Every structure is written in structure tokens, then in C-alpha cells.
Amino acid sequence: MHDVELQHAWKTLFGPSIHPAVLNETAVRRAYRRRVLEIHPDVAGAGATPQFLRVTKAYEVLLGACGSSILQSRRASIQDGNVRALPARPLALAQFLYHLGWISWESVQHALRWQAKHRIRIGELAVQSGALTRQQLLRIVEHQRSKERWGRCALRLGLVDASTLSRLVERQTRLQPPVGQYFVQHGLVSSERLAHALALQRQHNELIRENTKPTER
């Protein structure tokens, strides 16, 4: 791992004043949890996604530098059809391809921005499904506070309930273009290789979930 990459990761997660000598796995995990509480898109809004991705990358780089058994390498590989050296947690497809070394982190960011750009607005879905009228949608837009997410505003105004909002978010997720489509369209991964990666991703995530289930007594 290059010193420049480590220095950039230190600055991203801890700020410019931290010195590498004081780093350890506990400190890295604690710093990451603190930063996530500040910049996670669910808290800070969709505009925070690029920063959240940068912080997550820095976290994984530093865990690798700390000799973590959870993340042995920032870039993993596939040998003989077996996934090796992947983080011991469920991974979304873009993350999985990145850790396989098939795509760059920059490609991950581009793909997520592309997906967000092509995502149907949740307000439009609410009107299409009959959960809101067009007039109610306009009312939400008019009363939306600075940096307030659409869903929170709709709940605050009493125009949707939590259950309806949850269904709308779920439908929005189902209808958004799959991120793998971006990688194929831009020639980063072939459709055949993507299908293989999807199968491996499912195996990886199922194995992680199985191994993290609480033991029955």
C-alpha cells in the first residue's frame, strides 16, 4: 500500500492533525462510526453520498494498514472461483466489484451518481400510486425546509404516514436501474462476467449472514 494513499486516508478520516503512530484498529473504527453519524446520506441527505464513499474507502484502507483480519487487502481477487480477502460484511454489488479489483473506486462513485440521476423521484411515485395528489405534492415542495429530506417534510405535514413512506421508498429502490447496468454499458464489466460476480456476491453475503446469526440457546 502506497504511503500517499495512507496519508490521504488518514486525513479523510481523522483530519490533518493525526499522526500515523497513534493509529490502531480501535481508533479507526471509533473515528469511522463518528464520521458516519455526521455524513451518512440518511442523515445528511443524498448530497453527502460522495463524501460518505470517500470516508468509507479511507476506513477500509486504514483497517488494512492496521493488519485487520476483517480486511486483509483493499483489493481482493478471485482465484479458482473462490472469493478471497473480502471484508467480512455483506457487500453491495459496486462494493463487491471494487474489492475484487474489477473496477476503481472512482467508477463506484460514477455508478452511484448515475443510478441516483435515473431514480424516479419519490414524490412522483406517490402521485402515480395515489398516495398523494399533485396539489399535495406541490405543498410538500413549497414547505420543504433547507436540507430537509422530502420524506421528513411529508411526514411533518401529515400528508403521508411512516408505513406509506416506507412502501414508496421500497418501490423507488425496486424501480431504479441496477448499478450493474452502468458497468456493462460503460464497458467496465462484460454481461457474462457481471452474472458471475452477482452469483459470487450472493454466496458471499449469504455466508456472512449465516456466520453472524445469533447462536440459539
Side-chain angles (χ1 to χ4, degrees), residues 171-210:
R171 187 179 179 206
Q172 183 190 48
T173 301
R174 287 200 314 269
L175 293 176
Q176 71 182 2
V179 73
Q181 182 178 327
Y182 173 89
F183 300 126
V184 173
Q185 287 181 354
H186 288 76
L188 299 173
V189 178
S190 68
S191 56
E192 294 79 10
R193 205 176 189 200
L194 177 64
H196 181 54
L198 284 167
L200 291 171
Q201 178 208 12
R202 284 193 295 271
Q203 293 174 11
H204 168 78
N205 290 345
E206 288 171 2
L207 179 62
I208 294 299
R209 293 188 180 102
E210 185 66 28

Side-chain angles (χ1 to χ4, degrees), residues 147-160:
K147 297 184 179 180
E148 183 180 32
R149 302 190 70 181
W150 185 93
R152 289 184 179 179
C153 182
L155 289 172
R156 176 170 58 82
L157 296 176
L159 294 176
V160 298

Side-chain angles (χ1 to χ4, degrees), residues 23 26 28 40-41 58 60 75 97 103 120 141 164 168 202-203 207 209 215-216:
L23 283 177
T26 300
V28 170
H40 193 283
E60 294 178 343
R75 294 212 175 190
L97 294 176
I103 60 174
I120 302 175
V141 174
T164 300
L168 289 171
R202 284 193 295 271
Q203 293 174 11
L207 179 62
R209 293 188 180 102
T215 304
E216 294 184 2

Side-chain angles (χ1 to χ4, degrees), residues 19 36 68 82 100 122 133 160 175 181 186 198 210:
H19 191 279
V36 165
S68 169
N82 295 317
L100 295 181
I122 196 167
T133 65
V160 298
L175 293 176
Q181 182 178 327
H186 288 76
L198 284 167
E210 185 66 28

